[in-house]
Amino acid sequence: MTEAHVINLAERTDRWESMQEAWKDQPVTLVRREAIKINKTDVPDAYHAVFLKHREILTTAQKLGEKHILIMEDDAVPSKDFAHHWVNIKAYLDARDDWELFNGGMLMIRDCVDKVVRLDYPDGKNPTMLLGVWRGSMAHFLYMKVDPCLKKMEDWEADGKPMFDGWYSHKMKTMASVPYLAFQRDGYSDAAGEKRMWEERFKFEEDMMKYALREFMSPDAVKNSPKIDHADPRQTVLREIDRTSGGFEPPKNMCWDGQGYS
């Protein structure tokens, strides 16, 4: 079981109850964390409030000697087969040092993928695609490496206190996944101050990413290339041919020697 720290406003008992119901059968233990309230001075909006809560939670985790921590927002809902993907993603990440933040439901990443990792399972079905990304948004499901994230969060004020979700993916070594692990429920957004409809957006972008990744997700990808070589840019850069990109010219020679095409 993974302990998940859920940020929740005291008056939003409805969201906390919905969270408990939505996640009751998943391999996570929810721990409610009191959200920081917006004021007119040092916490002017929800983005400031959530970032400051993230930093507070990570600071406590560091003092306790924790290496990784899962933080969720109180409108997060698990996607289909969450447990199947999360248990394996977590095991993969916990064994490695080449990442700092994992986002389990990241939007706007189609054109900023620089690494693709495929996790396969004994039944040969439903692989998990882990993606190295350098831009994206949303922060309802974040698995963070405590020390490096906390260190880089020291720069937030100097960088102008930007909206933290996009700043995280620019600042930290970020991984995302397809399928998504969690999406945000439709409803009133404390950050936007209005009702937001997220569920169709998540479904649309997940389908788009699955299409863009179809060559990597196909069973033939394993059959024809048992070991994906991440030193080969043909395999690590997400290349999607569409009517706007005009396609990509294939290399004249298909032999990659680890330094270039020869």
Side-chain angles (χ1 to χ4, degrees):
M1 297 289 283
T2 307
E3 187 173 78
H5 300 259
V6 181
I7 301 174
N8 172 249
L9 286 165
E11 60 269 25
R12 294 307 302 267
T13 56
D14 57 324
R15 284 194 173 190
W16 178 240
E17 291 169 359
S18 295
M19 280 288 293
Q20 291 175 300
E21 179 63 26
W23 293 88
K24 66 181 181 181
D25 297 322
Q26 303 298 337
V28 296
T29 301
L30 303 183
V31 180
R32 182 181 175 277
R33 299 301 184 195
E34 184 82 18
I36 294 174
K37 289 208 168 192
I38 298 170
N39 59 46
K40 294 183 179 180
T41 55
D42 55 330
V43 189
D45 56 44
Y47 292 102
H48 282 64
V50 175
F51 172 83
L52 293 173
K53 192 64 184 182
H54 284 177
R55 193 157 63 181
E56 176 187 300
I57 292 172
L58 265 71
T59 299
T60 300
Q62 187 180 63
K63 290 178 180 177
L64 294 173
E66 297 179 19
K67 300 301 182 184
H68 310 96
I69 195 164
L70 174 60
I71 303 178
M72 295 168 61
E73 295 180 357
D74 62 4
D75 58 353
V77 181
S79 297
K80 181 182 177 183
D81 299 325
F82 167 84
H84 167 82
H85 294 288
W86 170 239
V87 169
N88 290 284
I89 288 173
K90 183 177 184 301
Y92 177 89
L93 294 175
D94 287 352
R96 303 178 66 87
D97 292 321
D98 58 351
W99 67 282
E100 294 170 342
L101 180 145
F102 168 76
N103 189 319
M106 202 170 192
L107 298 181
M108 298 191 294
I109 60 174
R110 181 181 175 276
D111 61 345
C112 57
V113 174
D114 56 17
K115 181 177 182 178
V116 178
V117 178
R118 172 172 167 151
L119 304 183
D120 281 293
Y121 306 103
D123 61 7
K125 300 177 182 178
N126 200 12
T128 302
M129 308 305 297
L130 279 175
L131 311 174
V133 298
W134 48 266
R135 194 201 65 234
S137 65
M138 314 309 282
H140 54 287
F141 189 101
L142 300 179
Y143 189 55
M144 309 177 81
K145 193 181 283 288
V146 174
D147 290 345
C149 285
L150 198 53
K151 180 63 178 176
K152 291 186 176 180
M153 290 166 86
E154 294 176 0
D155 297 337
W156 183 67
E157 285 85 357
D159 287 352
K161 299 182 179 180
M163 290 186 180
F164 69 90
D165 57 344
W167 183 75
Y168 280 174
S169 58
H170 173 72
K171 194 79 173 178
M172 303 170 188
K173 297 176 183 177
T174 302
M175 301 289 286
S177 70
V178 173
Y180 290 154
L181 292 185
F183 60 91
Q184 284 187 280
R185 193 191 306 271
D186 293 344
Y188 182 81
S189 168
D190 295 305
E194 62 184 10
K195 186 174 182 179
R196 300 293 296 270
M197 307 301 289
W198 286 117
E199 295 177 27
E200 284 299 315
R201 171 74 179 274
F202 278 97
K203 182 67 171 68
F204 173 79
E205 291 212 21
E206 183 182 58
D207 286 345
M208 179 177 64
M209 289 303 299
K210 286 181 177 178
Y211 182 77
L213 288 163
R214 63 194 180 278
E215 293 180 5
F216 295 94
M217 298 183 76
S218 165
D220 290 341
V222 175
K223 185 188 304 180
N224 297 334
S225 182
K227 183 177 180 181
I228 294 177
D229 178 8
H230 295 295
D232 184 344
R234 294 172 300 166
Q235 299 180 40
T236 58
V237 179
L238 180 59
R239 298 161 299 127
E240 168 61 6
I241 298 175
D242 62 23
R243 61 193 178 94
T244 59
S245 72
F248 293 82
E249 181 180 355
K252 294 180 174 56
N253 295 305
M254 298 303 291
C255 181
W256 176 257
D257 63 7
Q259 301 295 323
Y261 295 104
S262 58

